[in-house]
Amino acid sequence: MSGQLDKKIDNWRKKLLDLSKRNRLINFKPTKTKSLPLQGSKVSSIENLNAGRTLYIRKSKKDVEKENEKGEIEEKTVDVKLTDVRSNELLPTRDRENAKNSLNNLRVFKNRFSRERGIDSFYLAVSFLEWYESVDSDEKINSPLILLPVDIEEEIIKNKERHNYKITYRGKEPIVNPALKKKLKDDFEFTIPEEELGKENMNEFISEIDDNVSGGFENWQVKKKLVLGIFDFQKVSLYRDLEENRNEIKDNETIRALNDDYTDLNTDVDV
């Protein structure tokens, strides 16, 4: 009877995880409303975030004063280079107005998910796996590999070169994308050792996974790309709960009765 319940629990868990390319955790494509890609992958920024320091969003262009041919001072708008970005700043790939709109959308969606579903949905993806479904496929798939739980708040920033938003670390451990982990295990028999990941060793963990996939799969590689985004983990939370509470579920007298095991069910009825 216990074996039958294990099979049912496994089936429930399987139905909760969408492993198709419709799932953004499997086939990520940036959108203006639910993601903001960032330039580069500055290790110092992530280290500052992990240490509890606040990160700020740099505007992609800045106004500078330059002298023209007549010797007059003119104000011009120039692109911000990644080398100009400080260790406590992140630089969007989008222009100032689009980045501003994306940040507002991310804040709105984060708050809505928290209020209506009671779940955390806002993460900083710090690496992506680029992979192919088969050796004959020409379609490159991008899947977030590691997600760092963060928060976003709107705040008036005195520095005019920054957007009025700040990013803070929620204090929880980084997460290996559970949908990707399941997909790789089922389809390619490749296991990601999630228990080895911690916020102090993310870079080493990423390098190890990159070595493993590039050595075992043609054209697969891990890219250290940064993306702020909304990732819906509601069903993933249920998926994990079923595994973490498997024994309690199997011991529950009501669940056992639904599986035709009435041994522990109290059937006494007072008349």
Side-chain angles (χ1 to χ4, degrees):
M1 194 63 70
S2 177
Q4 292 180 13
L5 270 177
D6 276 318
K7 289 180 181 179
K8 286 191 175 182
I9 293 172
D10 289 338
N11 190 44
W12 295 337
R13 295 181 77 226
K14 185 176 181 180
K15 290 179 178 179
L16 284 170
L17 274 188
D18 178 10
L19 300 182
S20 72
K21 287 187 287 186
R22 295 187 301 270
N23 187 349
R24 295 177 74 242
L25 288 168
I26 294 294
N27 185 29
F28 177 83
K29 295 183 184 299
T31 66
K32 291 183 178 180
T33 56
K34 289 188 176 182
S35 63
L36 180 61
L38 304 163
Q39 294 188 38
S41 57
K42 298 188 71 171
V43 174
S44 57
S45 296
I46 306 303
E47 290 175 344
N48 273 324
L49 191 62
N50 287 340
R53 302 184 181 96
T54 298
L55 293 186
Y56 300 93
I57 310 298
R58 187 74 179 266
K59 295 177 181 178
S60 58
K61 292 184 181 293
K62 63 180 179 179
D63 298 323
V64 297
E65 292 183 344
K66 287 191 175 183
E67 186 176 311
N68 61 22
E69 296 177 353
K70 298 179 182 180
E72 301 169 335
I73 300 298
E74 293 181 339
E75 191 173 83
K76 292 186 177 182
T77 300
V78 299
D79 291 331
V80 173
K81 298 178 181 179
L82 193 58
T83 52
D84 298 329
V85 178
R86 299 174 183 174
S87 61
N88 65 336
E89 295 177 327
L90 299 169
L91 181 63
T93 60
R94 295 174 182 154
D95 61 46
R96 286 188 289 189
E97 194 60 30
N98 281 318
K100 176 183 174 182
N101 292 336
S102 293
L103 287 165
N104 181 61
N105 285 324
L106 287 168
R107 179 187 61 82
V108 170
F109 274 110
K110 187 269 297 184
N111 290 337
R112 182 184 300 171
F113 273 54
S114 178
R115 181 177 63 253
E116 297 178 357
R117 304 186 187 184
I119 60 171
D120 296 324
S121 60
F122 188 58
Y123 293 85
L124 174 63
V126 297
S127 58
F128 282 76
L129 176 65
E130 292 184 354
W131 61 284
Y132 298 83
E133 290 185 296
S134 69
V135 292
D136 301 321
S137 175
D138 294 325
E139 182 185 4
K140 182 190 296 182
I141 302 174
N142 282 279
S143 305
L145 176 60
I146 297 176
L147 298 144
L148 194 63
V150 294
D151 203 357
I152 180 171
E153 294 180 43
E154 189 174 19
E155 182 180 281
I156 300 300
I157 306 297
K158 293 182 180 179
N159 188 338
K160 65 179 183 179
E161 294 182 352
R162 294 173 175 174
H163 289 282
N164 290 325
Y165 293 88
K166 65 180 184 179
I167 306 298
T168 53
Y169 179 44
R170 292 207 305 265
K172 298 180 180 179
E173 288 296 317
I175 300 170
V176 171
N177 180 347
L180 177 63
K181 182 180 178 181
K182 177 70 172 172
K183 180 75 172 177
L184 296 180
K185 179 68 174 178
D186 289 355
D187 292 3
F188 302 98
E189 297 183 353
F190 180 82
T191 301
I192 299 178
E194 183 176 12
E195 64 279 357
E196 297 178 9
L197 173 64
K199 65 180 183 180
E200 298 84 6
N201 70 333
M202 278 195 296
N203 284 305
E204 293 82 357
F205 184 87
I206 292 169
S207 296
E208 181 180 348
I209 299 299
D210 186 34
D211 289 342
N212 291 339
V213 297
S214 60
F217 303 94
E218 186 175 355
N219 295 325
W220 286 32
Q221 59 182 327
V222 175
K223 291 285 190 179
K224 292 183 180 179
K225 297 188 293 187
L226 299 178
V227 176
L228 286 168
I230 298 294
F231 297 95
D232 188 354
F233 278 86
Q234 184 175 31
K235 291 185 177 179
V236 171
S237 298
L238 293 173
Y239 177 88
R240 285 183 165 177
D241 285 344
L242 283 173
E243 183 58 37
E244 291 174 0
N245 299 290
R246 179 183 290 265
N247 291 332
E248 289 83 353
I249 294 170
K250 289 162 61 178
D251 290 340
N252 183 277
E253 61 183 30
T254 304
I255 298 294
R256 293 173 67 89
L258 290 173
N259 199 49
D260 298 327
D261 181 358
Y262 306 100
T263 306
D264 300 319
L265 187 65
N266 183 3
T267 57
D268 292 339
V269 178
D270 294 330
V271 179

